[in-house]
Amino acid sequence: MSRLTLHDLCLSFGALKVTDHVSLAVEPGEIHAIIGPNGAGKTTLIAQLSGQLTPDSGRIELDGSDITHLSPPARVHRGLARSFQITSVLPGFSVLENVALAVQARSGSSFRFFGRVAEEQPLNDAARAVLDATDLGDRLHVLAGALSHGEHRRLELAIALATDPSVLLLDEPLAGIGGAEAERFVEQLRARKGQLTMVLIEHDMDAVFALADRVSVLVYGRIIATGTPDQIRSDPAVRAAYLGQEEAS
Amino acid sequence: MTAPRIHGRVVAALMLFAGFALLPLVAWLADDPFLVVIGARILAYGIAALALDLILGFGAMVSFGHAAYLGFGAYAVAILSRFGITDLGLHMAAAVVVSAGFALITGAISLRTRGVYFIMITLAFGQMVYFFFTSLSAFGGDDGTGLRQRSTLLGSSVLEHDLVFFYVTLAVLMALFWLAHRIVGSRFGRVLTGIRENPTRIEAIGFAPRRYQLTAFVISGCMTAIAGVLLANQAEFVSPAFISWHRSGELIFMVVLGGAGTLSGAIAGAVTMIVLEEWLEVFTEHWKLVFGIILVLMVLYSPRGITGIIERLMRGRS
Amino acid sequence: MTNLLVLQLLNGLQLGVLLFLIAAGLTLVFGIMDVVNLAHGVLYMVGGYLTASFAALTGSFWLGLGLMIPAAALIGLVLEYVVIRRLYERSHLDQVLATFGLVMIANETVKIIWGTAPIGVPMPELLDGSIPLMGPLKYPVYRLAIIAAGLAVAVGLYVMVNHTRLGMLLRAGATHRNIVAALGVPIGRLFAIVFMLGTVMACFAGGIVAPILSVDTGMGESVLILTFVVVVIGGIGSVKGAFFGAILVALVDTVGGVFGPIAMRAVLDPAAAGQAGRTLAPMLVYILMAAILFARPQGLFGARS
């Protein structure tokens, strides 16, 4: 059984079809990249998968059960987490608090009014472990709002990972970072390959072809091709619609 | 680092409480018993401001109808006393139960909306309560009604003594401050504060914001109702004036004046506002004009209230 | 009974157009400038006082009303320039506080200038008297004139919003603010015009109501909250919503106020019915609002929530 299945999703804003009969099956453990030119509807597709938007028609299944009409928090509890293209952290919280809150979401009730959450060692330990793995272990007590852009991107990933997902939706995780920092980031994702299913939206083609098991190409809300990186690279339709354009520019 | 920041605020609150505890001594030395009367009023408003700060400062919910809960508290005293029930604890219990119900229903409706809508809806619900009490002709309608006596404490009428009443009110304030402080530092408080920081992110890590906001809204309403019970006792009088939307605006002003999201700041805001009010009243009957000007200037030039001014001064010095 | 109903419907309609005149400006300021303006009710009061003073000065209600309008426009421009303009980029909380401060300033200033006693404005002779409606029922001409004036402004506003360039910008601004900015429209000037327009309409409402209600310091308070309810019910930014919201709120308020107690008498004994009716009538509007928002959080004609 596929981990995440999209059946014939459609979504329009007025006359504009942003998602046009999209069907896709993401297999357990794979990194499935979705690429496409700007305005192809990648971010709105992620928003439908994570529940911020509801499709007009079609069905989304996670491990075989229908999640199309579940709220975003309910989907997180089923094991579906996301990162945002535009960094979305809690700026007034420390790095540790940001991640500890994500751990808290999956460990016990949060309708507890008296105990000091800052002193809950299990939460802090789990958060530290995730932060160590994302190279933020030495920035625990810095306010998230004061981080550099690259650190922001890693915190964004750390928060999503801390919810302990089985499927991770990554919306342009490398946006705005480059060089050695981007390479390190790619390494961190690669280290989780196989354990975690990922849907990756990314503009950096080097990263996509280095990471992805399979690639789907989205153009004007439709998937025009799905295949291995090699198949996609050599697909004439893809080259015409997208890659060619990229090379020309 | 957040830990020292919170610690500093507790110290600030303890200093405030120590100051309050010494107030009757000052009143005695200055031979001005009226200070204790004003002091009790400040403490009661301090409770209300503290309660509002819990949702406004920590949950980013600008409730413009919080005076309604003062009203539930005040009228709980008047109505129950009329029927021969004079116990302070029962007055508080009744006020809290009614407020919890009202907050639950109106909060659930109001929280379906955001921003401007939320402000206006809470304002409208506040007015609804205002008109409700205005129509109670048995309790004086528009004009309100005097209380024949203050609430009793364990069957005794010790609260008739302003000094005893003052210290009981101070004790309630300190207990509620402690409660609010614990809530803010708890699991629940962290989720609530997270919603203020970034509701989208909170949803994306698996919390349904509205449930937490509504819970905080109810807690805050109940705490404000207790302030209402004390306020009615302090004034020995209840009237719809407790519930007017101006009163709700003043509560917001107190919170912002002291710096929203600091708890102790809200109490300091209540102190500042009432002292300012009493002081301006000495000079001019049109003190509200001065007050309005201060309000506009504060928003335009120091949006973070006194806390902002103090922090700016300290930064300038260091 | 029918006569009473017709009478109350007309009274409701008259209150409705007044609420519309105030709410139209408020909803545009909310929708386009995203500013919560608690001081909007105060403008209605100021319109009343200015009309009263100008009328007393010139000896003519019409001249008074005519002089009040440019004065109102000036007040709107100054207020926008001095305070409101600085609030555009600020949080709603800041806007609430600053305009709450303006309410205090305006109320006290009015008390200092005009005192606390209500001021009467004589009914213009031209519209004095009543006309027979049906059977023995008569209705004051002046109240009919208010309805007519309100409807005329509504039609004028409708034409402006739907058929002029300014109106196009207003409609676009209420829903897609950044697009308007991207069109290269001098947004500051647009905002100033909108605020001035809102001020003039609210002052106009205060001016035309002066002959039937005496002008006093509480008149702004009484309409402000009702106007908020109108804007919320109609949907923020929607002039059409403001119109239907105003009529609906006014009808519920007026008709419910009279027929509530009568209806109560069917189920309760007269004394209890009297109390229940008096209690429920002023709350009806808020219950209506809660019900509408429960079904449609963005209001009847609102685009955004």
Side-chain angles (χ1 to χ4, degrees):
Chain A
M1 183 172 48
S2 301
R3 177 121 295 163
L4 184 68
T5 327
L6 287 61
H7 294 283
D8 213 21
L9 285 191
C10 291
L11 178 64
S12 300
F13 293 144
L16 185 68
K17 287 185 181 171
V18 285
T19 304
D20 192 1
H21 298 281
V22 167
S23 293
L24 199 64
V26 180
E27 301 307 324
E30 84 168 326
I31 297 186
H32 196 121
I34 296 174
I35 62 172
N38 284 326
K42 301 184 299 278
T43 293
T44 40
L45 186 61
I46 289 277
Q48 290 166 73
L49 295 182
S50 60
Q52 271 91 19
L53 293 173
T54 308
D56 297 333
S57 64
R59 203 167 73 249
I60 304 166
E61 285 175 8
L62 182 66
D63 294 321
S65 60
D66 190 340
I67 60 163
T68 319
H69 296 285
L70 287 187
S71 69
R75 292 180 204 215
V76 178
H77 289 288
R78 300 275 184 105
L80 188 72
R82 71 164 295 177
S83 76
F84 292 87
Q85 178 183 358
I86 295 163
T87 304
S88 182
V89 298
L90 310 173
F93 278 33
S94 72
V95 168
L96 182 67
E97 287 166 343
N98 263 280
V99 180
L101 187 55
V103 177
Q104 183 186 323
R106 63 170 162 84
S107 38
S109 169
S110 284
F111 282 95
R112 292 193 206 155
F113 300 91
F114 295 103
R116 293 195 188 286
V117 64
E119 287 156 19
E120 281 195 45
Q121 283 320 316
L123 296 185
N124 290 340
D125 291 345
R128 272 204 191 90
V130 176
L131 286 165
D132 283 338
T134 44
D135 284 347
L136 285 167
D138 54 345
R139 307 286 277 160
L140 296 181
H141 300 292
V142 178
L143 285 186
L147 293 178
S148 73
H149 180 71
E151 288 171 330
H152 259 147
R153 299 310 296 166
R154 274 181 277 144
L155 178 57
E156 182 79 29
L157 176 67
I159 293 172
L161 288 173
T163 66
D164 198 19
S166 63
V167 179
L168 184 57
L169 309 171
L170 294 161
D171 192 356
E172 295 199 29
L174 298 176
I177 57 176
E181 196 155 23
E183 272 169 39
R184 249 169 54 196
F185 203 104
V186 168
E187 275 319 304
Q188 287 170 3
L189 291 180
R190 201 205 302 276
R192 293 171 191 274
K193 201 167 166 164
Q195 314 153 15
L196 190 61
T197 309
M198 292 185 236
V199 176
L200 171 70
I201 287 181
E202 189 45 67
H203 271 298
D204 181 336
M205 285 306 136
D206 293 336
V208 167
F209 289 119
L211 281 170
D213 299 297
R214 286 193 302 154
V215 179
S216 291
V217 183
L218 196 66
V219 178
Y220 296 123
R222 311 177 70 127
I223 289 192
I224 61 165
T226 294
T228 62
D230 285 339
Q231 287 168 336
I232 291 298
R233 245 190 294 244
S234 54
D235 188 310
V238 175
R239 296 187 75 87
Y242 180 48
L243 293 177
Q245 200 181 352
E246 198 90 324
E247 275 160 26
S249 65
Chain B
M1 294 279 282
T2 52
R5 209 170 59 206
I6 289 170
H7 182 70
R9 283 168 191 171
V10 173
V11 170
L14 289 177
M15 280 163 60
L16 271 171
F17 296 147
F20 282 131
L22 291 176
L23 183 69
L25 184 66
V26 175
W28 180 69
L29 289 175
D31 195 22
D32 187 358
F34 189 57
L35 278 183
V36 178
V37 176
I38 295 180
R41 193 150 71 95
I42 291 177
L43 292 172
Y45 275 112
I47 294 171
L50 177 74
L52 182 60
D53 193 24
L54 199 58
I55 56 168
L56 193 155
F58 292 89
M61 289 174 267
V62 183
S63 166
F64 209 136
H66 246 50
Y69 302 98
L70 286 182
F72 289 135
Y75 276 89
V77 178
I79 294 172
L80 289 180
S81 297
R82 183 74 59 91
F83 292 103
I85 302 169
T86 57
D87 185 68
L88 182 70
L90 287 177
H91 289 168
M92 286 185 175
V96 163
V97 168
V98 172
S99 295
F102 184 76
L104 194 63
I105 295 168
T106 62
I109 295 173
S110 307
L111 282 168
R112 287 169 63 82
T113 66
R114 283 186 189 181
V116 185
Y117 277 92
F118 184 83
I119 296 174
M120 290 200 287
I121 290 161
T122 49
L123 176 59
F125 280 129
Q127 283 304 102
M128 186 169 106
V129 175
Y130 175 80
F131 284 121
F132 174 79
F133 285 114
T134 304
S135 76
L136 290 186
S137 39
F139 292 91
D142 262 336
D143 300 325
T145 179
L147 298 180
R148 215 170 302 145
Q149 56 168 48
R150 283 188 176 159
S151 307
T152 51
L153 196 61
L154 306 170
S156 129
S157 53
V158 283
L159 295 181
E160 298 294 340
H161 301 283
D162 284 335
L163 191 64
V164 177
F165 181 72
F166 176 85
Y167 278 112
V168 168
T169 308
L170 179 59
V172 174
L173 172 63
M174 286 167 68
L176 289 177
F177 175 82
W178 177 80
L179 182 74
H181 177 69
R182 290 306 290 249
I183 290 176
V184 166
S186 72
R187 278 187 164 219
F188 175 83
R190 192 173 268 181
V191 179
L192 187 67
T193 321
I195 297 167
R196 172 192 75 191
E197 294 279 308
N198 185 345
T200 316
R201 168 46 81 191
I202 290 297
E203 278 205 308
I205 59 175
F207 294 108
R210 237 185 261 159
R211 295 170 51 200
Y212 296 88
Q213 287 177 303
L214 185 57
T215 307
F217 193 78
V218 171
I219 294 172
S220 170
C222 295
M223 283 172 64
T224 312
I226 289 178
V229 169
L230 293 169
L231 213 51
N233 272 301
Q234 188 271 327
E236 298 179 62
F237 176 73
V238 299
S239 87
F242 281 113
I243 319 169
S244 85
W245 67 272
H246 279 250
R247 190 75 47 165
S248 297
E250 283 163 16
L251 289 180
I252 296 179
F253 181 39
M254 289 177 195
V255 172
V256 176
L257 187 65
T262 58
L263 295 184
S264 51
I267 302 172
V271 176
T272 316
M273 162 131 186
I274 298 198
V275 169
L276 202 62
E277 188 182 306
E278 294 286 337
W279 183 63
L280 286 174
E281 247 172 332
V282 174
F283 294 104
T284 164
E285 59 172 317
H286 299 293
W287 61 273
K288 281 197 170 174
L289 178 67
V290 184
F291 219 90
I293 294 171
I294 293 176
L295 196 46
V296 172
L297 291 180
M298 184 192 87
V299 173
L300 294 184
Y301 298 104
S302 178
R304 293 196 45 238
I306 303 174
T307 310
I309 294 173
I310 292 173
E311 281 177 3
R312 215 179 306 160
L313 287 177
M314 283 169 65
R315 218 175 306 138
R317 216 173 40 188
S318 62
Chain C
M1 194 75 163
T2 328
N3 286 349
L4 187 58
L5 183 64
V6 172
L7 207 61
Q8 289 308 321
L9 280 176
L10 283 171
N11 282 345
L13 198 59
Q14 182 235 304
L15 177 63
V17 299
L18 284 177
L19 284 181
F20 167 71
L21 286 174
I22 309 168
L26 192 63
T27 202
L28 286 175
V29 170
F30 270 135
I32 295 173
M33 290 138 78
D34 200 22
V35 170
V36 192
N37 182 17
L38 294 178
H40 205 75
V42 155
L43 298 173
Y44 166 76
M45 170 184 74
V46 168
Y49 274 106
L50 286 179
T51 307
S53 284
F54 285 134
L57 213 62
T58 60
S60 151
F61 171 74
W62 299 112
L63 275 177
L65 197 62
L67 285 173
M68 179 274 289
I69 293 199
L74 187 67
I75 289 174
L77 285 178
V78 170
L79 202 54
E80 198 271 344
Y81 188 79
V82 176
V83 179
I84 306 292
R85 177 167 296 194
R86 296 162 196 260
L87 297 174
Y88 294 144
E89 300 301 320
R90 305 292 282 274
S91 70
H92 291 140
L93 181 58
D94 285 348
Q95 296 168 354
V96 162
L97 282 172
T99 56
F100 181 54
L102 288 180
V103 171
M104 288 183 164
I105 294 173
N107 281 345
E108 288 303 316
T109 311
V110 162
K111 274 183 204 161
I112 292 169
I113 299 179
W114 283 284
T116 46
I119 298 177
V121 174
M123 182 73 65
E125 263 172 48
L126 185 63
L127 300 174
D128 210 356
S130 302
I131 54 165
L133 280 183
M134 39 192 276
L137 191 65
K138 285 181 172 177
Y139 201 74
V141 178
Y142 190 77
R143 285 176 184 264
L144 290 176
I146 289 182
I147 296 176
L151 291 178
V153 173
V155 169
L157 205 58
Y158 176 83
V159 171
M160 192 202 79
V161 168
N162 288 292
H163 299 287
T164 65
R165 183 177 148 76
L166 177 63
M168 186 271 289
L169 292 174
L170 293 188
R171 270 179 297 139
T175 45
H176 306 287
R177 185 173 339 187
N178 32 9
I179 296 182
V180 175
L183 287 173
V185 174
I187 205 87
R189 207 184 305 161
L190 179 69
F191 284 1
I193 291 173
V194 170
F195 194 82
M196 185 190 75
L197 200 65
T199 306
V200 170
M201 282 192 292
C203 286
F204 180 65
I208 60 173
V209 84
I212 52 169
L213 301 174
S214 54
V215 177
D216 67 53
T217 48
M219 69 188 274
E221 309 280 296
S222 59
V223 293
L224 175 70
I225 313 292
L226 273 187
T227 320
F228 275 156
V229 173
V230 166
V231 169
V232 170
I233 286 180
I236 288 176
S238 165
V239 174
K240 190 163 70 172
F243 184 76
F244 289 108
I247 301 294
L248 188 63
V249 165
L251 285 180
V252 168
D253 199 44
T254 333
V255 179
V258 174
F259 287 89
I262 295 176
M264 283 291 158
R265 230 165 280 162
V267 282
L268 295 169
D269 69 88
Q275 174 64 55
R278 274 197 307 281
T279 305
L280 269 179
M283 291 170 66
L284 272 181
V285 176
Y286 303 101
I287 295 168
L288 170 79
M289 178 195 73
I292 288 179
L293 286 176
F294 194 76
R296 273 184 72 87
Q298 74 276 39
L300 292 175
F301 297 94
R304 293 181 289 160
S305 67

